[in-house]
Amino acid sequence: MPSVGALPLHGVRVLEMVDKAEMCGRYLADLGATVIKLEPPEGSPSRRMGPFHDGVSISFAVRNANKQGLTLDLADTTDRGRFEAMLDTVDLWIESTAPGSLASVGLSIAELRARHPRLVVLSVTDFGQTGPYRDWVGSPWVHTAMSGCLSRSRIGDQYPLMPPAALPAEAAAVQASFAALVGLWNAMETGMGDHIDFSLLEATGQILDPAMGMVGTASAGADVGAAAATSARQRPVPDMYPVFECSDGFVRVVLLSPRQWRAMRSWLGDPEDLMDDALDAIFTRFKRVDEIRQHISLLFKGKSTAELVQEGQSRGVPCAPVLTLGEVIAAEHYVQRQAIARCEIFTGLDANVPTGFVEFNGRRLGIRMRTPDVGEHNASLLAELTDGRATGTPVATTGAGGRRPLSGIRVLDLGVIVYGAETGRLFADLGADVIKVENRAYPDGARVARGGMMNANFASGHRGKRSIGLNLRSDRGKALFTALVAESDLVLSNFKPGTLEALGLGYDTLAQVNPGIVMVTSSAMGSTGPWARWMGYGPLVRCASGLSSLWRYPEGPSAFADGSTVYPDHFAARVMAAAGLAALIARRRTGLGAHVEGAQAEAILVQLSELVALESLQPGAVSAKGNYSDEGAPWGVYPCAGSDEWCVITVRSDEEWARFCDVTGLADLGDEPALRTTAGRLRNRERIDARVGTWTSNLDPRAVQHLLQAAAIPAGAMARVTELEDDPHLSARKYLKKLRQPGFGPLTVQNAPFFSERMDPPRQVPAPEFGEHTREVLTEVLGLAPDEVQRLIEEGAAEEGTERR
């Protein structure tokens, strides 16, 4: 384990007062921040959330590792004074109370900020601090329904399937950690704190499966996503990433490029009916998917997953096994990479758990200490309030608000497809100068997915960037790139491991040019281990991490419902953007850059931490649950009046159950003693669900939503992507915006990842044409004369666009 001083957020102090999005603070703690978990004397309600093992909440244990435990009673005058004194010792306060509720105990956020002007406050709430739904109550399931993500998680005409595990909550929590780091960076730049308004609903919609964000090349080929979401009844296209049964399980195959298709065709023995060159186009293959599937099914029948994956990968056919969590825990790849390890997660409880999201200069930043007991560190933390040892991180004393927080940062963006686009876009939206480095001979697949060099999908993911054409396979092109590195802060890449090193552009080389450079690299399976060289895409990563095996209909062993999602690209982009920004914060202290590495499969594993731990403690306990939850009843996706209309209801407590029975007219259920506890309701779940489903089936889903929300019961109608623009709450909060891309009509894209008092919203700048800024960057950044730039273009070291849409 690295020493604390070697961690990027060493010296940053965080006070966390939340019982939702706890992985936000956990990730900051993994990155080296001192995170103090503030709980009431009886402990956080999240300590009483399942799943459990020997009475220990596994979900709480995995989300609160690396933190220190403090208890205060904010209704007590003395403890309120201690709380405010604690604010003087920290840089960041994360809180998840209902909007305005702290004022009732004399702790108005506005007044606290006035007394602590250097403090960054991150308020994490279900629906945000403003808007018509501000005071509504939510849950991850409600957020998934209302954000449009649930409508896209299904197979054909089957019922919408809730994504498994804690996926929505964990995705939103990581975006919250990115928001926190942006706020800290801006405070360090300006000397002033901020109040960041973070909505879990909006974060879920931006990360889980954002149809108005960037989608994968197969999705683009199937005419789904932002540019084609024209029908309110549109459903996911099946078999974009088909799964095939073999002798001991399932294997998924992803065929995107003509080269990959031809490799698959060769593996099939070049059957005569598939020799049509038109099948090189993904559009054509979708039209003949049944025919192709029959050929592959016949080839795979009777063979094992191991031999199929080995053969496919060696032939250049991207494929992966669909693993269960038990198989993931035992997989040699993860063992070698120490991505899963046995450690103490709670007092006296050891389990196999994912160890962390990223590696920093070759060292994994994961669990260093177990989750604290209630108030475990009270004595030492309260002592700091009297002896002056806790001082927080110094910040600058000049600067004003009203700025884009990452202005002044220059990013060289080598990223491709969805993950690559999103990581750079996050920096561009927040003011960084992001220069997309491209080469005509090896174009970004997203740029050329629809033919030509620009499309709506690419524009969504690369808005706000500049483009320079460089031939990195020529000595002069590489020299230009390294010269740009000398003038930059951050390099982003998601090439296959070893690609940059083979070009002579690995981190060690770039650090010699610029010791302050931060390089952020991400790959499907990581840069080491038996699977490091696999061709990897999101659908394969989901299989190899155990997610696909859980994201299926429990009625059928092969009914995998994750085929149309782009997950985890948007999520992994937030993971790595946060880590890159943490490395830049560390550079302020050390003067040195860093190499930050991540694997998308391991990002998913951390999200599945509670299930991985549970499976290691109770083998065989974890399987696909569909829309069942053991958190409460009623708790599910219920049919409503109309065609394919649904709503989510999540009753979390006995008090909510009593109100639910009152407002729904199901008083007879409320009168049953056996149903007055969560345990009793879970035992009678099927009967309750049948009654609730009968009630909802006669009502419009939004009528259910509004009726139950008026009684403070978490409920939400399943929204389609095309309905989001008309949602009054999202409209009031400017969740969406129009991007004016030359050659296209206005494109609807998502707006800011959060809102703040002191930071300007994202810029509305179109995506660049290929090489559009080559001359501009070479003259402006490197100071080259126009005639020298012309020679470089004529030599082929630099390139500029000649095609226009």
Side-chain angles (χ1 to χ4, degrees):
M1 291 292 181
S3 66
V4 173
L7 301 178
L9 294 185
H10 174 65
V12 172
R13 290 174 61 88
V14 180
L15 182 64
E16 177 193 274
M17 195 172 83
V18 303
D19 59 5
K20 58 185 69 174
E22 290 172 308
M23 188 56 80
C24 170
R26 158 71 197 278
Y27 191 24
L28 298 177
D30 285 3
L31 292 168
T34 297
V35 178
I36 302 164
K37 184 165 189 64
L38 175 59
E39 304 178 74
E42 69 275 15
S44 172
S46 55
R47 287 183 181 268
R48 297 179 282 280
M49 291 178 57
F52 296 94
H53 181 79
D54 289 344
V56 174
S57 167
I58 303 299
S59 63
F60 185 86
V62 297
R63 294 183 179 93
N64 290 282
N66 293 336
K67 301 178 186 178
Q68 299 181 36
L70 173 69
T71 58
L72 292 175
D73 181 0
L74 296 185
D76 177 79
T77 303
T78 300
D79 275 358
R80 282 203 306 275
R82 289 169 173 162
F83 167 74
E84 188 154 358
M86 183 66 68
L87 293 183
D88 273 331
T89 75
V90 299
D91 308 289
L92 171 68
W93 172 32
I94 308 173
E95 64 91 21
S96 65
T97 60
S101 62
L102 285 175
S104 64
V105 293
L107 293 172
S108 160
I109 291 178
E111 293 176 1
L112 288 171
R113 285 204 59 238
R115 293 196 291 271
H116 305 274
R118 61 180 292 283
L119 182 68
V120 177
V121 181
L122 175 64
S123 290
V124 179
T125 57
D126 287 313
F127 297 98
Q129 300 289 314
T130 62
Y133 306 162
R134 183 189 96 137
D135 298 319
W136 283 14
V137 288
S139 69
W141 283 39
V142 169
H143 303 147
T144 304
M146 296 179 66
S147 66
C149 295
L150 179 60
S151 68
R152 293 159 56 78
S153 177
R154 63 199 308 179
I155 297 176
D157 294 333
Q158 295 198 56
Y159 59 85
L161 184 67
M162 190 61 62
L167 224 60
E170 302 300 76
V174 166
Q175 178 144 304
S177 66
F178 177 65
L181 291 173
V182 172
L184 284 172
W185 177 270
N186 199 50
M188 292 174 179
E189 289 285 295
T190 67
M192 296 295 292
D194 203 347
H195 186 196
I196 298 173
D197 173 7
F198 188 89
S199 160
L200 292 169
L201 170 67
E202 292 161 20
T204 301
Q206 290 171 340
I207 306 171
L208 198 56
D209 188 25
M212 290 185 181
M214 193 173 181
V215 298
T217 50
S219 296
D223 278 338
V224 299
T230 57
S231 170
R233 292 293 169 264
Q234 184 182 26
R235 297 181 182 182
V237 177
D239 281 339
M240 287 194 294
Y241 310 111
V243 174
F244 299 91
E245 188 171 5
C246 42
S247 64
D248 59 348
F250 298 89
V251 168
R252 172 171 278 159
V253 175
V254 174
L255 301 173
L256 302 180
S257 70
R259 174 176 49 83
Q260 292 165 356
W261 159 244
R262 292 196 173 208
M264 182 73 248
R265 191 179 67 186
S266 173
W267 191 6
L268 292 169
D270 289 326
E272 185 176 349
D273 57 333
L274 297 183
M275 295 304 290
D276 183 356
D277 287 346
L279 286 170
D280 284 353
I282 196 170
F283 301 92
T284 307
R285 294 202 298 277
F286 273 119
K287 294 176 183 177
R288 296 174 61 180
V289 65
D290 290 339
E291 180 184 358
I292 295 171
R293 187 181 181 97
Q294 288 177 4
H295 279 279
I296 299 177
S297 295
L298 185 62
L299 173 68
F300 284 11
K301 186 177 181 180
K303 295 182 174 65
S304 71
T305 56
E307 65 179 307
L308 287 171
V309 171
Q310 181 178 1
E311 177 78 5
Q313 289 283 348
S314 67
R315 286 175 171 270
V317 176
C319 56
V322 181
L323 300 179
T324 66
L325 278 193
E327 291 168 332
V328 166
I329 292 170
E332 183 62 25
H333 177 78
Y334 297 121
V335 172
Q336 284 190 22
R337 287 183 52 75
Q338 296 184 313
I340 299 176
R342 194 82 174 177
C343 67
E344 186 180 27
I345 59 173
F346 199 79
T347 304
L349 179 61
D350 290 358
N352 292 84
V353 288
T355 50
F357 284 114
V358 297
E359 294 175 275
F360 185 78
N361 289 335
R363 292 173 292 188
R364 186 173 294 277
L365 303 187
I367 296 176
R368 301 183 303 280
M369 61 183 187
R370 61 165 173 78
T371 287
D373 296 328
V374 177
E376 180 173 345
H377 302 97
N378 275 17
S380 59
L381 290 170
L382 294 177
E384 290 177 342
L385 300 181
T386 59
D387 66 14
R389 284 181 292 155
T391 58
T393 299
V395 298
T397 57
T398 61
R403 65 189 297 271
R404 291 190 175 88
L406 303 187
S407 298
I409 294 175
R410 178 170 292 127
V411 180
L412 297 181
D413 184 2
L414 294 164
V416 295
I417 314 295
V418 181
Y419 162 84
E422 281 291 297
T423 311
R425 182 191 63 79
L426 290 168
F427 283 89
D429 274 359
L430 295 170
D433 177 19
V434 179
I435 302 171
K436 180 169 176 59
V437 181
E438 305 189 72
N439 177 238
R440 189 180 299 280
Y442 300 91
D444 186 338
R447 187 184 271 287
V448 299
R450 291 176 178 269
M453 298 294 280
M454 179 62 70
N455 55 71
N457 186 50
F458 182 88
S460 175
H462 291 279
R463 60 187 186 266
K465 302 179 184 179
R466 298 197 282 178
S467 171
I468 182 173
L470 291 180
N471 180 5
L472 298 183
R473 285 168 172 74
S474 73
D475 290 341
R476 192 70 179 101
K478 284 187 280 192
L480 291 172
F481 181 76
T482 56
L484 288 171
V485 168
E487 304 297 328
S488 299
D489 303 285
L490 194 62
V491 174
L492 306 176
S493 171
N494 63 324
F495 295 148
K496 184 183 292 186
T499 300
L500 287 177
E501 288 76 10
L503 292 171
L505 298 174
Y507 172 70
D508 291 342
T509 300
L510 301 187
Q512 292 178 10
V513 175
N514 179 358
I517 197 69
V518 171
M519 176 178 275
V520 176
T521 58
S522 176
S523 59
M525 305 303 301
S527 61
T528 62
W531 300 343
R533 304 296 296 177
W534 277 9
M535 289 176 291
Y537 300 101
L540 303 180
V541 169
R542 295 194 296 271
C543 291
S545 64
L547 181 58
S548 294
S549 69
L550 299 173
W551 202 335
R552 68 172 175 84
Y553 290 88
E555 298 87 353
S558 62
F560 301 101
D562 68 319
S564 64
T565 180
V566 72
Y567 201 82
D569 292 68
H570 296 263
F571 168 70
R574 272 74 177 174
V575 168
M576 300 310 295
L581 191 51
L584 290 175
I585 289 173
R587 189 181 67 176
R588 302 176 75 99
R589 182 180 77 249
T590 66
L592 297 175
H595 185 193
V596 181
E597 293 184 84
Q600 291 191 30
E602 292 166 10
I604 291 178
L605 287 181
V606 178
Q607 288 192 291
L608 301 179
S609 288
E610 67 186 63
L611 297 185
V612 173
L614 183 64
E615 180 67 21
S616 77
L617 294 166
Q618 303 172 21
V622 178
S623 62
K625 288 188 173 183
N627 289 339
Y628 170 84
S629 171
D630 55 11
E631 293 188 52
W635 192 297
V637 181
Y638 299 93
C640 294
S643 174
D644 194 34
E645 299 287 359
W646 306 82
C647 66
V648 163
I649 301 170
T650 56
V651 172
R652 304 168 297 181
S653 67
D654 299 340
E655 293 76 17
E656 287 183 356
W657 168 247
R659 294 198 303 274
F660 176 82
C661 292
D662 183 51
V663 300
T664 60
L666 300 176
D668 59 314
L669 292 180
D671 290 339
E672 289 190 37
L675 303 183
R676 291 176 183 170
T677 65
T678 298
R681 292 191 295 277
L682 286 172
R683 285 193 294 269
N684 291 273
R685 178 192 174 96
E686 290 186 8
R687 182 161 62 91
I688 291 173
D689 278 350
R691 290 289 302 278
V692 173
T694 299
W695 174 72
T696 58
S697 64
N698 294 309
L699 297 171
D700 178 87
R702 281 164 184 77
V704 176
Q705 169 183 281
H706 285 270
L707 177 68
L708 295 183
Q709 285 289 352
I713 297 167
M718 186 187 80
R720 270 84 174 180
V721 173
T722 51
E723 298 166 340
L724 298 181
E725 288 188 88
D726 297 326
D727 184 280
H729 182 77
L730 297 179
S731 295
R733 288 182 56 81
K734 297 180 173 60
Y735 173 68
L736 300 172
K737 66 179 180 180
K738 296 294 184 181
L739 175 69
R740 302 197 176 277
Q741 182 72 33
F744 296 83
L747 304 177
T748 301
V749 296
Q750 291 163 331
N751 198 6
F754 55 85
F755 295 97
S756 113
E757 292 182 2
R758 297 182 54 81
M759 291 184 266
D760 287 344
R763 302 174 299 168
Q764 295 191 42
V765 179
E769 296 285 353
F770 173 83
E772 180 178 346
H773 304 96
T774 297
R775 294 177 185 270
E776 177 180 294
V777 169
L778 293 179
T779 55
E780 173 194 306
V781 179
L782 298 187
L784 301 182
D787 57 345
E788 186 175 0
V789 172
Q790 180 62 35
R791 284 196 301 273
L792 290 167
I793 292 174
E794 291 173 354
E795 293 170 2
E799 301 175 337
E800 62 178 344
T802 57
E803 298 182 23
R804 290 292 184 269
R805 186 186 183 279

